Amino acid sequence: MAKITTSALLKLKQQGEKITALTAYDASFAKLFADAGVEVLLIGDSLGMVLQGHPDTLPVSTAEIAYHTRCVRAGAPQAFVIADMPFMSYATMEQAFANATPLMQAGANMVKLEGGEFLLPTIKALTERGVPVCGHIGLTPQSVHVFGGFKVQGRDSAAADHILQQAIELEQAGAQLLVVECIPSALAKRISEALRIPVIGIGAGVDTDGQILVMHDLLGISSGYIPKFSKNFLQETGDIKRAISQYISDVKQSAFPGAEHSFN
């Protein structure tokens, strides 16, 4: 695989080719995913749930994300690697600077922050200082207690318009990538068409510029709650490598996610 950059991801969007992304937490799986052709690897704070067994992502630390980022980078030197900034690690601009630094030094190409308007000055400041930013709106897991659970966002017209406006403002502030999670398919399509930057969906329908899944969900090995938007590709193929290839193929051909994995 040629080295993936923000320019390469932007070109995929411009050419109408879907971007594939998966979470990764170690060198072995990172190499497997990258060798199969997955463009983007996210060291998600989802590791708090799938690796550490917590009920949510809140206990994860910056040091833990940095550790797993180093592992993923070692396994996939050519992939585009995004590192999540954990809960309350960017509550102030100074915290954002301090916590983004070890993640970029560990090998991330970009950091991901959850939220809307309050982040705009922070995103602008980070990008001005050489730290590329991925935004994340819709259902933002770090705010699960504010939302009262893992609930679909943007279902009424006012909420949908607000999320679209958030997306536009995040791009204007300097975000070079955007993740939209658990929002209606029609809203995700509006966002993807309105933005110049690539929009990656999870539980956001098939019309985004790309898709991301938690690797444990793709392989059907997550314990406890399995979200509607996930699909067990391992069950369908019977082999891990074939499961990854099938995921890539289905995303590229807009066969995944289907209606059964999406929200109206």
Side-chain angles (χ1 to χ4, degrees):
M1 178 194 285
K3 190 170 184 63
I4 306 296
T5 62
T6 51
S7 297
L9 296 176
L10 182 59
K11 188 175 181 180
L12 288 176
K13 170 166 179 146
Q14 292 168 343
Q15 293 174 338
E17 180 178 343
K18 299 288 188 178
I19 297 164
T20 58
L22 286 171
T23 64
Y25 314 96
D26 64 37
S28 298
F29 273 108
K31 177 172 171 46
L32 195 63
F33 298 158
D35 286 352
V38 176
E39 290 99 3
V40 177
L41 301 179
L42 169 68
I43 297 83
D45 57 6
S46 50
L47 70 87
M49 301 173 75
V50 297
L51 297 188
Q52 298 174 340
H54 298 301
D56 52 44
T57 65
L58 274 56
V60 176
S61 70
T62 300
E64 289 166 341
I65 295 285
Y67 168 80
H68 289 281
T69 300
R70 284 192 295 273
C71 295
V72 168
R73 176 52 75 201
Q78 301 301 100
F80 192 83
V81 172
I82 304 174
D84 259 345
M85 292 194 67
F87 178 66
M88 291 299 286
S89 67
Y90 48 96
T92 67
M93 204 173 291
E94 290 71 23
Q95 284 178 314
F97 295 160
N99 290 308
T101 300
L103 301 184
M104 296 297 291
Q105 291 174 334
N109 298 107
M110 179 176 275
V111 297
K112 182 166 74 64
L113 287 67
E114 296 182 8
E117 295 90 343
F118 80 96
L119 282 178
L120 300 178
T122 300
I123 291 172
K124 185 174 186 293
L126 283 170
T127 54
E128 286 174 346
R129 289 159 177 80
V131 180
V133 172
C134 174
H136 183 158
I137 57 175
L139 172 61
T140 47
Q142 291 175 14
S143 301
V144 62
H145 297 305
V146 175
F147 293 143
F150 294 97
K151 297 180 178 180
V152 180
Q153 303 296 305
R155 278 196 148 148
D156 65 73
S157 59
D161 289 346
H162 182 238
I163 291 173
L164 174 60
Q165 186 60 34
Q166 283 183 323
I168 292 168
E169 290 174 352
L170 289 171
E171 179 181 58
Q172 290 172 343
Q176 291 177 280
L177 205 65
L178 181 67
V179 170
V180 291
E181 180 170 356
C182 283
I183 62 173
S185 301
L187 172 58
K189 185 174 189 291
R190 287 172 65 197
I191 292 171
S192 301
E193 291 173 347
L195 268 55
R196 183 186 65 86
I197 62 174
V199 177
I200 309 298
I202 178 166
V206 75
D207 293 313
T208 52
D209 302 307
Q211 300 291 330
I212 185 166
L213 279 181
V214 173
M215 59 166 278
H216 294 68
D217 291 343
L218 177 141
L219 299 175
I221 57 174
S222 298
S223 60
Y225 171 70
I226 306 297
K228 172 183 174 175
F229 53 73
S230 69
K231 179 178 178 181
N232 184 346
F233 283 86
L234 181 59
Q235 185 179 45
E236 188 174 281
T237 59
D239 176 87
I240 289 178
K241 287 186 177 180
R242 284 202 296 268
I244 299 161
S245 295
Q246 189 64 52
Y247 168 70
I248 294 170
S249 175
D250 283 2
V251 170
K252 295 288 187 184
Q253 296 175 26
S254 297
F256 176 83
E260 68 273 27
H261 310 112
S262 307
F263 303 99
N264 296 321

